Amino acid sequence: MEERANAGAGTLTAEASTAFGGVATGGLMCLLSMSSIQFGAALSSSAISTYGPAGASWLRLAFAAIILALVVRPRIVSYNRAQWTSALVLGATTALMTMSFFAAIERIPLGLAVAIDFLGPLSVATIGYGLSRRLIWPLIAALGVLALAHDGDGWVGDIGGILFALGAGTGWAIYIVLTKKIGASFKGLEGLSISLMVAALVATPFGFAGAVPQLDAYGLVEMAGLAILVPLLPYTLELVALRRMPTASFGILMSLEPAIAALAGFVILAQPMTLLQMAGTALVVAASAGATFAAR
């Protein structure tokens, strides 16, 4: 009897260790993904100036789709209607989200753009649980955004940049839900590969004409490298991370992204932050983490 009890305890300990290891690995992937996205976005400023937001988005999506297709070799003719539908919707969402985000960071500081971006999934997640005290979290985040939008001398950014950031936030909320579904319905990275092909095709009418005339050998190498940073590496990491950890834990960790964006903006783009803006970033991070934790 004692031996059976010890065996059972050993099994539970092993399962707990495995579960913790999976969450820890997923958490590390989240941190790497966020760093890749934000530092990749900061490094894209010259590409956005050269090719425009739509052109830079199209080039990155096209390179990412080609690279991943060569690695994964998705079996295009083997997917059913439900798989194609989810991949098409995710691909279109990815394209519009990427173009909107690049258009936003062309007009407003990176930290502010990411903070506004967070309002989309945060509001949807909160309202999804009904009108209750959880509504305090979007309000706290909104106060943080207001603090970020003031540099001590006046308001930063413009209406166009704010609207593009809000559009990217809406796309982000949809993207999180669809990525979880894609990861469950496709083997390996096949779903991500198909969705990136769709995203590149959707972005082509918007970015092709503005990008191709400006493209040279250096630009090809530059955009291939940036495509690995965003979107190929982070999307792959997030897809694998969502398979290893609960969505709630994923959401809490991703709440750190505005802080990482502020750091990337400071280091790469020389976008300093006042104490008020640092406090605003902290409010957005706290609101996102609080809303995700409360939703559990």
Side-chain angles (χ1 to χ4, degrees):
M1 189 71 175
E2 184 178 352
E3 291 178 356
R4 291 178 62 186
N6 290 337
T11 300
L12 289 175
T13 301
E15 290 177 351
S17 177
T18 301
F20 176 78
V23 171
T25 303
L28 178 60
M29 289 179 175
C30 286
L31 291 174
L32 290 174
S33 170
M34 289 184 286
S35 300
S36 180
I37 289 174
Q38 300 310 326
F39 280 89
L43 290 169
S44 298
S45 58
S46 62
I48 293 173
S49 299
T50 303
Y51 309 113
S57 298
W58 173 70
L59 285 170
R60 296 178 82 157
L61 290 169
F63 273 109
I66 292 170
I67 293 170
L68 193 58
L70 291 174
V71 173
V72 175
R73 296 184 181 182
R75 299 166 297 170
I76 295 177
V77 296
S78 66
Y79 305 129
N80 58 41
R81 182 175 180 179
Q83 288 175 309
W84 271 110
T85 299
S86 59
L88 289 170
V89 176
L90 178 60
T93 300
T94 299
L96 297 175
M97 177 180 68
T98 304
M99 289 188 290
S100 295
F101 183 69
F102 276 21
I105 62 175
E106 182 187 35
R107 295 167 170 81
I108 59 178
L110 180 61
L112 175 59
V114 173
I116 296 173
D117 202 7
F118 255 77
L119 293 179
L122 176 59
S123 298
V124 170
T126 304
I127 295 172
Y129 284 91
L131 299 176
S132 66
R133 60 186 180 183
R134 291 190 181 92
L135 288 175
I136 190 66
W137 300 117
L139 293 176
I140 292 174
L143 289 175
V145 169
L146 285 176
L148 274 164
H150 201 281
D151 63 359
D153 296 323
W155 300 103
V156 299
D158 59 21
I159 296 298
I162 291 171
L163 291 176
F164 276 120
L166 288 172
T170 303
W172 192 5
I174 300 170
Y175 163 80
I176 291 173
V177 175
L178 291 177
T179 299
K180 186 76 173 178
K181 185 176 181 180
I182 284 280
S185 60
F186 283 87
K187 291 182 179 180
L189 300 176
E190 292 183 15
L192 179 60
S193 179
I194 295 295
S195 67
L196 281 176
M197 291 181 192
V198 174
L201 289 173
V202 171
T204 298
F206 303 96
F208 182 87
V212 171
Q214 309 296 328
L215 200 59
D216 55 16
Y218 173 79
L220 286 171
V221 175
E222 177 189 28
M223 295 311 300
L226 289 174
I228 294 174
L229 277 178
V230 183
L232 186 57
L233 180 60
Y235 287 5
T236 302
L237 288 171
E238 289 174 12
L239 182 66
V240 177
L242 279 166
R243 286 173 172 164
R244 291 175 173 265
M245 62 194 305
T247 304
S249 300
F250 178 85
I252 291 172
L253 275 173
M254 296 300 284
S255 302
L256 293 172
E257 194 146 8
I260 296 176
L263 177 63
F266 175 75
V267 173
I268 305 296
L269 302 176
Q271 295 176 346
M273 298 185 74
T274 63
L275 288 176
L276 179 64
Q277 290 174 320
M278 291 180 186
T281 300
L283 284 174
V284 175
V285 171
S288 182
T292 307
F293 186 78
R296 295 179 63 184

